[in-house]
Amino acid sequence: MAYIPFNRPSLAGREFEYMREAIANGHFSGDGPFTHRCNALLEEALGIPSAVLTTSCTHALEMSALLLDIQPGDEVIIPSFTFVTTANAFVLRGAQPVFVDIRPDTLNVDEARLERLITPLTRAIVVMHYAGVGCEMDKICEIAQRHDVAIVEDNAHGLFGKYKGRHLGTFGALATLSFHETKNFTCGEGGALLINDTRYVDRAEIIREKGTDRSRFFRGQVDKYTWVDYGSSYLPSDILAAFLCAQLEARAQIQSQRQRIWEYYYDNLEDWAAENGVDLPTVPEYCEQPYHLFHLLLPSLEERQAFIAYLKSNDVASVFHYLPLHLSRMGRRFGGKAGDCPVTEDVSDRLARLPFHNSITEEDQELVVNLVTQFRCGR
Ligand SMILES: Cc1ncc(COP(=O)(O)O)c(C=O)c1O
């Protein structure tokens, strides 16, 4: 039997055509025609004032920390169950990360635990929409507003997902996207910063252009450009933007493929999960998910490890996900200790993700499902 990988990046169709066009345009660096086309597509599809491509989601998070002017000693509330760079971007500016636990159902920030973590030093709440299923944004926005704290949405998983009819990435002052090869839409490595609070638009342009007013110079608004602020090099090449553009333009096709894949797993694993004490993903009815990943929560760490090893021995890659940030070496340096985020600690031990990518075939999914349903928990 051929090996079934966890992820395999796929082409949507027009990538080479667009990359050839980008090369013919003679604009290889950032902010060329394809970058503008991607920015405009995101702005229009999401109905937001500004979207700018970046070299990664990590860099868009770093830009967010710079834009919020995070200073040493500021506190930033961050879920412990997320990727390292959600925290690192703020820690790089000297922030103290304050880790918040997650809800056991959606694995998103537990909004009921947020308020008690807010202090006079709190500058931002960072939320991450796990699997593209929306956090409880009504409550989170209300808390943030009452305490005058900014929201940043790490929406690496959730492009085109919605919470109560509104797109994820449109709630925070700032939000970030990832176009890494494991995401629904990719250019290998890439990201975007979504700017909902227009006060940040001008400065974002400068920070993204190495701290210079070069974009204004190119628009003829100044006669020379110079160093005016903090910044770094956050622009992807227009050749990569061309690749991404082909993927974003094929979003209807990509999302319907992923919906089919997700539903196939859900429908065919429901009975087995109920019989074996395994939890399938929870998607509240007011959340429209973008079908980013499919995870299972096994009854225990031992069973999760046995499950992954069993699939591996049958040539199927299944992987765990985030380790609790508060218990990492860095997290402990910031005071994290066992028991701080009990749900995160528990879920992190029990979670396994099944192979999921745009081009996985129904035959491969059938093989995965047949193997999974032969696995018995609680033996
Ligand atoms: C929640 C989350 N945030 C940020 C990132 C970083 O994304 P990038 O690789 O585009 O920097 C990831 C990566 O997988 C992620 O899962």
Side-chain angles (χ1 to χ4, degrees):
M1 189 176 103
Y3 178 72
I4 301 180
F6 171 69
N7 180 57
R8 181 181 283 141
S10 320
L11 297 178
R14 304 186 75 175
E15 285 86 350
F16 291 121
E17 180 192 331
Y18 284 4
M19 286 171 84
R20 267 196 300 274
E21 199 179 317
I23 291 164
N25 285 339
H27 187 128
F28 293 13
S29 61
D31 271 347
F34 279 103
T35 307
H36 293 306
R37 197 153 138 186
C38 290
N39 294 349
L41 183 152
L42 290 170
E43 286 163 6
E44 198 183 321
L46 303 175
I48 57 169
S50 176
V52 284
L53 291 193
T54 57
T55 27
S56 65
C57 182
T58 298
H59 282 166
L61 287 160
E62 288 179 22
M63 284 185 68
S64 305
L66 283 162
L67 284 166
L68 293 177
D69 226 354
I70 298 295
Q71 300 291 323
D74 287 347
E75 293 179 5
V76 178
I77 300 177
I78 298 166
S80 176
F81 190 66
T82 183
F83 192 61
V84 171
T85 56
T86 319
N88 227 357
F90 295 88
V91 165
L92 274 170
R93 310 302 320 148
Q96 164 75 31
V98 175
F99 294 109
V100 59
D101 208 357
I102 51 170
R103 298 168 55 107
D105 51 3
T106 57
L107 316 187
N108 282 329
V109 163
D110 186 345
E111 67 285 354
R113 293 170 189 261
L114 265 183
E115 197 149 18
R116 72 187 79 146
L117 299 176
I118 295 179
T119 76
L121 297 176
T122 309
R123 293 289 321 286
I125 297 170
V126 186
V127 299
M128 192 275 283
H129 307 292
Y130 188 69
V133 174
C135 295
E136 289 301 329
M137 294 314 294
D138 280 351
K139 181 78 183 155
I140 295 168
C141 291
E142 185 263 308
I143 294 171
Q145 209 167 16
R146 193 150 32 79
H147 292 273
D148 195 22
V149 168
I151 294 177
V152 177
E153 294 173 78
D154 178 343
N155 197 26
H157 298 184
L159 177 56
F160 304 128
K162 289 183 179 172
Y163 170 82
K164 298 191 178 170
R166 182 167 156 190
H167 278 291
L168 303 182
T170 67
F171 292 87
L174 301 162
T176 63
L177 302 176
S178 174
F179 300 118
H180 181 261
E181 75 165 36
T182 49
K183 303 303 186 289
N184 294 22
F185 309 94
T186 185
C187 56
E189 301 276 358
L193 178 70
L194 310 180
I195 308 170
N196 298 309
D197 184 335
T198 49
R199 284 177 301 175
Y200 296 114
V201 171
D202 290 347
R203 193 160 175 243
E205 187 176 87
I206 289 166
I207 287 172
R208 185 165 160 271
E209 265 286 18
K210 299 100 182 156
T212 72
D213 53 358
R214 187 155 102 166
S215 304
R216 302 190 68 202
F217 170 72
F218 284 134
R219 286 197 299 268
Q221 292 166 317
V222 286
D223 56 8
K224 49 187 175 309
Y225 74 86
T226 184
W227 184 20
V228 294
D229 201 340
Y230 293 104
S232 192
S233 185
Y234 294 129
L235 285 75
S237 156
D238 213 51
I239 302 171
L240 274 186
F243 190 103
L244 179 65
C245 190
Q247 298 243 324
L248 290 175
E249 287 181 359
R251 61 193 176 284
Q253 166 207 325
I254 290 175
Q255 293 304 77
S256 80
Q257 279 167 311
R258 295 188 79 100
Q259 178 173 1
R260 183 197 59 72
I261 294 164
W262 195 95
E263 286 172 354
Y264 185 92
Y265 277 142
Y266 196 95
D267 295 344
N268 287 287
L269 293 176
E270 221 177 345
D271 293 344
W272 166 81
E275 284 158 22
N276 285 275
V278 173
D279 291 329
L280 297 186
T282 302
V283 184
E285 34 85 20
Y286 48 83
C287 289
E288 285 168 53
Q289 60 148 329
Y291 306 100
H292 175 51
L293 56 85
F294 196 92
H295 68 271
L296 306 170
L297 283 178
L298 287 114
S300 66
L301 170 65
E302 294 67 36
E303 279 157 315
R304 196 273 306 268
Q305 299 300 72
F307 178 79
I308 290 177
Y310 157 77
L311 289 182
K312 188 172 175 209
S313 70
N314 285 286
D315 288 328
V316 172
S318 163
V319 292
F320 57 89
H321 215 174
Y322 306 121
L323 299 176
L325 287 181
H326 69 286
L327 298 182
S328 64
R329 193 191 306 170
M330 276 296 278
R332 286 181 189 273
R333 264 176 57 183
F334 287 102
K337 53 187 184 326
D340 284 352
C341 298
V343 181
T344 301
E345 290 166 32
D346 173 52
V347 159
S348 172
D349 278 350
R350 297 193 291 116
L351 191 145
R353 294 181 288 161
L354 296 181
F356 198 141
H357 53 86
N358 297 351
S359 50
I360 191 169
T361 60
E362 197 157 314
E363 295 76 68
D364 278 359
Q365 277 199 283
E366 196 180 331
L367 275 168
V368 174
V369 163
N370 284 340
L371 283 169
V372 169
T373 51
Q374 285 170 48
F375 185 84
R376 292 275 156 262
C377 297
R379 278 173 298 185

